[in-house]
Amino acid sequence: MPQLRIALAQVNPTVGAIAANTALALAAVKDAAARGAHLVVLPEMMVTGYPIEDLSSRASFIDASRAAVEGMATDLADAGLSDVAVVVGYLERADRSERPRPGEPRGLPQNAAAVLHGGAVKARQAKHHLWNYGVGDEIRNFVPGDTVHIIGVRGVDVAIAICEDLWQDGPSAAAAAAQAGLLVVPNGSPYEANKDDVRLELCARRARDADCALAYVNLVGGQDELVFDGDSLVVDAAGDLVARAPQFEPHLLVVDLELPAATEPMPDTDTRFFGLRVERTVLSTDPVASYEPLPRPQAPRLGDCEEVYTALVTGLRDYVRKNGFTTVLLGLSGGIDSTLTGALAVDALGAENVFGVSNPSAWSSEHSRTDAAELARRTGLQLDTVPIAPLVDAFQEAVKVDGLAEENLQARVRAVVWMALSNQHGHLVLACGNKSELATGYTTIYGDAVGGFAPLKDVPKTLVWRLARWRNDEAVRRGEPPPIPEDTLTKPPSAELRPGQLDSDSLPDYTVLDDILDDYVEQDRSARDLVGQGFDPVVVERVIAMVDRAEYKRRQYPPGPKISARNFGRDRRLPITNRWREDVSDLPVDQESTARG
Amino acid sequence: MPQLRIALAQVNPTVGAIAANTALALAAVKDAAARGAHLVVLPEMMVTGYPIEDLSSRASFIDASRAAVEGMATDLADAGLSDVAVVVGYLERADRSERPRPGEPRGLPQNAAAVLHGGAVKARQAKHHLWNYGVGDEIRNFVPGDTVHIIGVRGVDVAIAICEDLWQDGPSAAAAAAQAGLLVVPNGSPYEANKDDVRLELCARRARDADCALAYVNLVGGQDELVFDGDSLVVDAAGDLVARAPQFEPHLLVVDLELPAATEPMPDTDTRFFGLRVERTVLSTDPVASYEPLPRPQAPRLGDCEEVYTALVTGLRDYVRKNGFTTVLLGLSGGIDSTLTGALAVDALGAENVFGVSNPSAWSSEHSRTDAAELARRTGLQLDTVPIAPLVDAFQEAVKVDGLAEENLQARVRAVVWMALSNQHGHLVLACGNKSELATGYTTIYGDAVGGFAPLKDVPKTLVWRLARWRNDEAVRRGEPPPIPEDTLTKPPSAELRPGQLDSDSLPDYTVLDDILDDYVEQDRSARDLVGQGFDPVVVERVIAMVDRAEYKRRQYPPGPKISARNFGRDRRLPITNRWREDVSDLPVDQESTARG
């Protein structure tokens, strides 16, 4: 069987930075060629970054993307690499003379892969199944393709499927029917906790069904709320894992494969399989001279907590850097949320770029100050202290408020201090709230909710504690001092906005709360289902009412890295004006209102 | 030809309030029956409110909607109205045994119309063409239908098409092929300035093409960012306008029509036209005894400014009321934006429910106070004054800032005052910024940008002035005192955050700015196109850079009524992390940074 050395370029582009992304792609191809690769595959929409959302409709952007792949082909030829076959994701325009039909995006954009060889773009394949659920809006943004390309590379037939085309039926079956020897799959597949094995299982199943090796290459890095985890991999035609790249870091995965020789194409090359047109393009026919294959690298998988923690660090680092910031500022209360956020920021950006502010109030405990100072001491982040009592007093002088309004006033005075320091010194402010708080509205809008990015936005409170403990344990394993003060890990959570206040005054125990939230928010379970599962009906009603009422706060919350199956960003789109309440009419009702304003 | 009295119920439901919406629908049908109607048509998704977004995937919500239409049918029979035919929009579940396919919404929800007659649901038709552009996400939220129903009502064949099914080809042609005598179209079609004639033209064209009268019924009222303007209408088979309901207010449009007698259905009733299955359901065959038709009402159309102004009032009133608020609070600077917002709020909610706060600073002009007081005097809104100098001084004592940080500090101190008063007294805070400011980022996040609703969010500055002048002129026409002080209309705009500051220090003339913004934001024109149109390249580059950089501020801005073809809500979805800049490399570059932080 012919041999082929393939290289999967797991890279970190930036949305919109076409010139920089193209340079990154070129560098990867050159590196791969230097290592003897015959075929290089880059991820989905590598040239533009991903996802581009409504940028897809901008004609000037489509033009720039098209020009970039043409330029890349000639640059490769100029570098003497015209015999390397390259598959790269980019933004294309549908090849149609008529105007967009009603409902089609302006400019007829397509999420496509270009095949570069011999100094030219030899084939273009547009994504057929568009990703239109969860955070994906691709039917809004792209026109689907209807073709599967088979490209002949050194005597092997290589088919292409783009991301969702692997998840849904059709394209991989068409590749199988056309007897491809290898299916390459450029992806922009975001991280979700526990999603990874699903990908490997899918790749293995498609490979077995198609009797064809499969090479899956994914992006790495953060883009707004999404984190791409890489995890590029190759399976053989039996579905067995052959090689795997590390998660969350750029990597060039070079793999030697023995693949079936290309079949003689049918006389009529325009054959339809599963509603898809199959097109064949032969780049080169001469098989590679026999050589000794390289060892096949299989990067170890990260553990559950390490994986989530690394996703948060990656999402934070890329949001900060790709938006042109160097430093971040966050309020440090001595509580577990701001402490973990501080530790994440230090890991992402270095202690010298993290500025903590402690804002003790009349109700702040002694440990809130000492714990914040202890975090600074352990991690090396900068700590400044700005007491808020005189500021709160000044407002109380001007507008006398009490109760919840007084609590929120303190949180907002802190936010004004952070934003003043941010504007003065150019720091990006981090919001430290977790998913359980955001779900229930246990957060002060324009108070602790201010910020450019919210690293824990999709992390439930119980997972916050687990991640903090894991981070400390990891430090011990590495022989380093644990960053999180022990007292912060063990003390009962409190907003400290009134004397003796505890979260447990307003919220159920976090273990119960997070279970209910997972069922209600992520699974769309009804109140009746939840009660049927054994939850206290009074608690269920209270929690659901809090979640429903807090939609307006979530709408103004900063972005944060998605790690769950359904985050509070574009994954869950609910009206603010919404009187739907789950039917709990025959359950006892508790009227206590608990959410902070 | 048989006669038929049809009633189009232009109503204002609330999303999620299934019981209240059903009661509203029942009341409309009873009213219509009392006025002798044989067929009553209610808008799209009337039972659930519209749009429901991801509520569509909640099984308990689908169940409740299905139960509501069943209950409505029996309630009508109980009220002795079982012989009235009713078409009403609701949320259905697709009639399929298999589980959702990949990418299909959980629970297989459908945007459907139910036909009620004789105490039962006699037919159910799901929307075929799903609305998936602009602010519509229906492919995400619904499973499409594949059937057009022809219902026999008193000897007339009536076909149904739901909203987008009229805009795209197929359903109306199927109705024509099935020789329907009347096409009824339930809609949830949001207001856009200058959109109305497009609707009438479309209805006329479809009616002529199908040789069939057409009855178009639309929602009224506000739902988050959308405002439904009603404008329900009937055209005859020649496409001529027969009757039209007023805009923006609930109305029952009762119209007598002479329609062709039903044709004998083909022996095989399951005929496919244009890929759609046609199903026939005969409710009643006996023609109505001949009677004297009613006059045909044609409500006058609103003028351009009145239409936009009424849309803003409607959107504001419904956001406030449907979310359970009675009163609003806004900062009054004496400038045109907050003054117009105050006038809108008074028109929407009554002066007794509008609380203005004047927050003079060290840099506030004398006229900023007197103009705010004059607005209060003219409209009767409540005005409170809270000077901010001592508050700003307290912050400057704690964290010394200058420049832009100092300007923003003042704006944020004001916001803390508003939010304290809001929390203390239960007022909803209104943000007063306009679309031109939001586009360029000329707004302080967590400062003037705070609020639960932003009435002018989609109104460019030049239109703010036009609306204010129109409102004053309208007052004069009605013999009332004009609400907007003359000085506010004529003085140059200023944020008054530093001595002598004017908007024109930072922004181009608003006439030029709004022209560029319209081209760049709403039309996706490139920098080159704009320069080609004659705009100064330096100005074009500056404006585009400001717009691109301000995405993060827009993401945290409150909702506001959409009046343009593309608002800054779900109409324009761009990444925050986005390095794409229009190519202006051969144009002179101006580096001055102007946006407020």
Side-chain angles (χ1 to χ4, degrees):
Chain A
M1 298 212 292
Q3 285 179 287
L4 206 63
R5 179 166 292 175
I6 66 170
L8 307 183
Q10 179 170 297
V11 285
N12 185 356
T14 299
V15 163
I18 290 181
N21 296 341
T22 308
L24 193 61
L26 275 171
V29 175
K30 287 175 185 172
D31 186 6
R35 294 169 64 181
H38 309 110
L39 169 65
V40 186
V41 188
L42 294 116
E44 182 176 15
M45 296 289 273
M46 163 64 203
V47 168
T48 56
Y50 185 74
I52 58 170
E53 308 182 35
D54 286 359
L55 274 177
S56 68
S57 294
R58 196 162 271 285
S60 49
F61 192 58
I62 305 177
D63 291 340
S65 166
R66 286 167 52 92
V69 289
E70 302 281 354
M72 208 175 140
T74 54
D75 285 353
L76 286 173
D78 292 348
L81 302 176
S82 57
D83 59 335
V84 180
V86 175
V87 177
V88 59
Y90 76 116
L91 176 64
E92 179 51 282
R93 175 179 288 121
D95 186 17
R96 289 204 327 234
S97 54
E98 75 269 34
R99 296 173 52 168
R101 292 186 279 263
E104 283 190 333
R106 178 143 50 181
L108 298 173
Q110 293 190 307
N111 175 336
V115 177
L116 316 183
H117 189 263
V121 178
K122 290 292 178 61
R124 302 160 192 266
Q125 175 173 330
K127 193 174 188 173
H128 175 65
H129 290 298
L130 298 174
W131 175 38
N132 206 68
Y133 48 89
V135 300
D137 277 327
E138 292 197 335
I139 295 180
R140 169 189 182 86
N141 291 136
F142 299 116
V143 173
D146 62 355
T147 305
V148 170
H149 281 265
I150 308 289
I151 53 172
V153 182
R154 310 301 295 263
V156 175
D157 277 349
V158 179
I160 303 169
I162 303 173
C163 201
E164 188 72 13
D165 284 341
L166 193 69
W167 292 83
Q168 298 194 32
D169 291 337
S172 58
Q179 295 183 276
L182 173 67
L183 177 61
V184 297
V185 189
N187 293 273
S189 177
Y191 172 71
E192 264 176 35
N194 310 317
K195 178 178 169 184
D196 299 355
D197 292 330
V198 178
R199 279 190 202 140
L200 174 58
E201 283 165 26
L202 174 75
C203 289
R205 177 162 67 83
R206 292 297 190 201
R208 281 193 301 269
D209 289 352
D211 190 25
C212 162
L214 190 153
Y216 179 102
V217 57
N218 194 17
L219 296 166
V220 279
Q223 168 59 30
D224 287 355
E225 298 217 319
L226 302 185
V227 183
F228 298 96
D229 57 330
D231 194 27
S232 302
L233 58 87
V234 179
V235 294
D236 62 21
D240 292 326
L241 183 65
V242 165
R244 195 165 203 171
Q247 292 171 271
F248 299 107
E249 40 187 272
H251 186 82
L252 188 71
L253 184 66
V254 181
V255 184
D256 283 313
L257 295 171
E258 285 193 27
L259 297 166
T263 55
E264 196 61 35
M266 302 288 168
D268 110 71
T269 52
D270 185 346
T271 312
R272 286 198 167 265
F273 298 107
F274 308 94
L276 290 156
R277 200 154 46 90
V278 170
E279 266 189 29
R280 290 177 188 269
T281 308
V282 176
L283 305 181
S284 53
T285 52
D286 51 319
V288 176
S290 176
Y291 64 92
E292 188 62 30
L294 296 168
R296 292 166 160 188
Q298 286 200 19
R301 314 279 304 142
L302 304 182
D304 285 353
C305 279
E306 184 172 17
E307 197 183 78
V308 172
Y309 193 93
T310 311
L312 299 178
V313 166
T314 305
L316 171 57
R317 179 165 45 212
D318 275 4
Y319 190 87
V320 171
R321 293 198 178 158
K322 291 180 178 179
N323 282 291
F325 287 89
T326 309
T327 55
V328 296
L329 179 147
L330 72 165
L332 289 177
S333 69
I336 189 68
D337 299 319
S338 60
T339 301
L340 180 62
T341 304
L344 283 163
V346 168
D347 287 341
L349 306 165
E352 70 281 13
N353 292 318
V354 181
F355 294 81
V357 185
S358 168
N359 294 116
S361 76
W363 315 129
S364 295
S365 59
E366 183 54 29
H367 60 73
S368 76
R369 298 160 211 232
T370 54
D371 289 344
E374 178 63 13
L375 173 71
R377 196 190 63 75
R378 290 173 177 224
T379 61
L381 63 75
Q382 331 293 308
L383 181 65
D384 198 1
T385 300
V386 181
I388 59 165
L391 303 169
V392 173
D393 290 347
F395 278 98
Q396 287 288 26
E397 194 78 26
V399 274
K400 181 76 201 127
V401 295
D402 54 21
L404 201 60
E406 188 182 13
E407 294 184 29
N408 288 324
L409 174 60
Q410 296 169 65
R412 292 193 181 111
V413 163
R414 289 190 174 111
V416 173
V417 171
W418 307 335
M419 291 306 300
L421 293 170
S422 160
N423 284 168
Q424 186 74 19
H425 302 293
H427 309 312
L428 181 82
V429 174
L430 301 183
C432 298
N434 61 63
K435 190 177 193 177
S436 313
E437 287 177 356
L438 192 59
T440 52
Y442 196 68
T443 173
T444 300
I445 188 169
Y446 319 125
D448 54 276
V450 311
F453 201 66
L456 304 182
K457 182 178 182 182
D458 200 30
V459 183
K461 185 78 172 189
T462 48
L463 183 54
V464 169
W465 275 305
R466 278 173 52 212
L467 292 175
R469 290 210 179 83
W470 171 84
R471 182 62 186 83
N472 271 7
D473 293 347
E474 177 67 12
V476 171
R477 276 188 291 275
R478 290 191 215 155
E480 296 167 1
I484 320 281
E486 194 56 33
D487 182 52
T488 299
L489 275 169
T490 52
K491 66 187 176 187
S494 165
E496 297 199 335
L497 293 172
R498 60 173 189 263
Q501 183 179 35
L502 291 177
D503 289 12
S504 54
D505 303 339
S506 306
L507 299 174
D509 180 87
Y510 278 113
T511 319
V512 174
L513 178 64
D514 283 354
D515 265 4
I516 295 176
L517 290 175
D518 178 71
D519 283 344
Y520 184 67
V521 173
E522 296 187 30
Q523 316 293 332
D524 274 335
R525 296 254 161 78
S526 69
R528 272 170 200 288
D529 284 353
L530 286 163
V531 172
Q533 283 174 54
F535 289 110
D536 178 346
V538 177
V539 173
V540 167
E541 173 161 34
R542 243 179 77 206
V543 170
I544 287 185
M546 284 192 282
V547 173
D548 290 348
R549 273 199 306 254
E551 182 59 27
Y552 77 98
K553 291 188 188 179
R554 290 189 284 269
R555 213 59 87 73
Q556 295 190 38
Y557 206 77
K562 167 182 159 78
I563 60 153
S564 75
R566 185 182 283 177
N567 76 352
F568 280 127
R570 291 192 180 165
D571 245 354
R572 187 176 189 261
R573 305 180 193 176
L574 288 179
I576 297 175
T577 306
N578 171 16
R579 294 223 184 128
W580 172 244
R581 297 294 175 263
E582 289 288 321
D583 182 10
V584 283
S585 50
D586 52 2
L587 306 174
V589 176
D590 169 52
Q591 294 293 352
E592 186 194 351
S593 171
T594 53
R596 282 155 62 199
Chain B
M1 299 214 290
Q3 284 178 288
L4 206 63
R5 178 167 293 174
I6 66 169
L8 306 184
Q10 179 170 297
V11 285
N12 185 356
T14 299
V15 163
I18 290 182
N21 296 343
T22 308
L24 193 62
L26 275 171
V29 175
K30 287 176 186 171
D31 186 8
R35 293 169 65 181
H38 309 109
L39 170 64
V40 186
V41 189
L42 294 116
E44 183 176 15
M45 296 287 275
M46 163 64 202
V47 167
T48 55
Y50 184 75
I52 59 169
E53 309 182 35
D54 286 359
L55 274 177
S56 69
S57 293
R58 196 161 269 286
S60 50
F61 192 59
I62 305 177
D63 291 340
S65 167
R66 286 167 52 90
V69 288
E70 301 281 354
M72 208 176 137
T74 54
D75 285 353
L76 286 173
D78 292 347
L81 301 177
S82 56
D83 59 334
V84 179
V86 176
V87 177
V88 58
Y90 76 115
L91 176 63
E92 179 52 280
R93 177 178 287 122
D95 186 17
R96 289 206 326 235
S97 54
E98 74 269 34
R99 297 173 52 169
R101 291 185 279 264
E104 283 190 333
R106 179 145 50 183
L108 298 172
Q110 293 191 306
N111 175 337
V115 177
L116 315 183
H117 190 262
V121 178
K122 291 291 178 62
R124 301 161 193 268
Q125 175 172 330
K127 193 174 188 173
H128 175 65
H129 290 298
L130 298 175
W131 175 38
N132 206 69
Y133 49 87
V135 300
D137 276 328
E138 291 198 333
I139 294 179
R140 170 189 182 86
N141 290 136
F142 299 116
V143 173
D146 62 356
T147 304
V148 170
H149 281 266
I150 307 290
I151 53 172
V153 181
R154 310 303 294 265
V156 175
D157 278 348
V158 179
I160 303 169
I162 303 174
C163 201
E164 188 72 12
D165 285 340
L166 192 70
W167 292 84
Q168 298 194 33
D169 291 337
S172 58
Q179 294 185 279
L182 173 67
L183 177 62
V184 297
V185 189
N187 293 273
S189 177
Y191 172 71
E192 263 176 36
N194 311 316
K195 177 178 169 183
D196 299 354
D197 292 331
V198 178
R199 278 190 201 139
L200 173 58
E201 282 165 28
L202 174 75
C203 289
R205 177 162 67 83
R206 292 296 190 200
R208 282 193 301 269
D209 289 352
D211 190 24
C212 162
L214 190 155
Y216 179 104
V217 56
N218 193 17
L219 295 166
V220 279
Q223 168 60 28
D224 287 354
E225 298 217 319
L226 302 185
V227 182
F228 298 97
D229 56 330
D231 194 28
S232 301
L233 58 88
V234 178
V235 294
D236 62 23
D240 291 326
L241 182 66
V242 165
R244 195 164 202 172
Q247 292 170 273
F248 299 107
E249 40 186 272
H251 187 81
L252 189 70
L253 184 67
V254 181
V255 184
D256 284 312
L257 295 172
E258 285 192 29
L259 298 166
T263 55
E264 197 60 37
M266 302 287 169
D268 111 72
T269 53
D270 185 345
T271 312
R272 286 198 167 265
F273 298 106
F274 307 94
L276 290 156
R277 200 155 44 90
V278 170
E279 267 189 30
R280 289 177 188 269
T281 307
V282 177
L283 305 181
S284 53
T285 51
D286 51 317
V288 175
S290 176
Y291 65 90
E292 186 64 30
L294 296 168
R296 293 167 158 186
Q298 286 200 18
R301 313 279 305 142
L302 303 181
D304 287 352
C305 278
E306 183 171 18
E307 198 183 76
V308 172
Y309 193 92
T310 310
L312 299 178
V313 166
T314 304
L316 171 57
R317 178 164 46 210
D318 275 3
Y319 189 87
V320 171
R321 294 198 178 157
K322 291 180 178 180
N323 282 291
F325 288 88
T326 308
T327 55
V328 296
L329 179 146
L330 71 165
L332 289 177
S333 70
I336 188 70
D337 299 320
S338 61
T339 301
L340 180 63
T341 304
L344 284 162
V346 168
D347 287 341
L349 307 165
E352 69 280 12
N353 293 316
V354 181
F355 294 81
V357 185
S358 168
N359 295 115
S361 76
W363 314 129
S364 294
S365 58
E366 182 53 31
H367 59 73
S368 77
R369 298 161 210 232
T370 53
D371 289 343
E374 178 63 13
L375 173 71
R377 195 189 64 74
R378 289 171 177 224
T379 61
L381 64 76
Q382 329 293 307
L383 181 65
D384 198 2
T385 300
V386 181
I388 60 165
L391 303 169
V392 173
D393 289 348
F395 278 98
Q396 287 287 26
E397 194 78 26
V399 274
K400 181 75 200 129
V401 295
D402 54 21
L404 202 59
E406 187 181 14
E407 294 184 30
N408 288 323
L409 174 60
Q410 298 169 64
R412 292 195 181 110
V413 162
R414 290 188 173 113
V416 174
V417 170
W418 306 335
M419 291 306 300
L421 293 169
S422 159
N423 283 170
Q424 186 74 19
H425 302 293
H427 309 312
L428 180 83
V429 173
L430 301 183
C432 299
N434 62 62
K435 190 177 194 175
S436 312
E437 287 177 356
L438 192 59
T440 52
Y442 196 69
T443 173
T444 300
I445 188 169
Y446 320 125
D448 54 275
V450 312
F453 201 67
L456 303 183
K457 183 178 181 182
D458 200 31
V459 183
K461 185 79 172 189
T462 48
L463 182 54
V464 169
W465 275 306
R466 277 173 52 211
L467 291 175
R469 292 212 177 83
W470 171 84
R471 182 63 187 82
N472 271 7
D473 293 347
E474 176 67 13
V476 171
R477 276 189 291 274
R478 291 191 215 155
E480 295 166 3
I484 319 281
E486 194 56 32
D487 182 51
T488 299
L489 275 168
T490 52
K491 67 187 174 187
S494 166
E496 296 199 336
L497 293 172
R498 61 173 189 262
Q501 183 179 34
L502 292 177
D503 289 12
S504 54
D505 302 340
S506 306
L507 299 174
D509 181 87
Y510 277 113
T511 320
V512 173
L513 177 65
D514 283 354
D515 265 3
I516 294 177
L517 291 175
D518 179 70
D519 284 343
Y520 183 67
V521 173
E522 297 186 29
Q523 317 292 333
D524 275 334
R525 296 254 161 78
S526 69
R528 267 163 208 290
D529 283 353
L530 286 162
V531 172
Q533 284 174 53
F535 289 109
D536 178 345
V538 177
V539 174
V540 166
E541 174 163 34
R542 245 179 75 205
V543 170
I544 288 185
M546 285 192 281
V547 172
D548 290 347
R549 273 199 307 255
E551 182 59 28
Y552 77 99
K553 292 188 186 179
R554 290 189 284 269
R555 213 59 87 74
Q556 295 190 38
Y557 205 78
K562 167 182 158 79
I563 59 152
S564 75
R566 185 181 283 177
N567 77 352
F568 280 128
R570 291 191 179 166
D571 245 354
R572 186 177 191 261
R573 305 180 192 174
L574 287 181
I576 297 174
T577 306
N578 171 15
R579 294 224 184 126
W580 172 245
R581 297 293 176 266
E582 290 288 322
D583 182 9
V584 283
S585 50
D586 53 2
L587 307 174
V589 176
D590 169 52
Q591 294 293 351
E592 187 194 353
S593 171
T594 54
R596 283 154 61 198

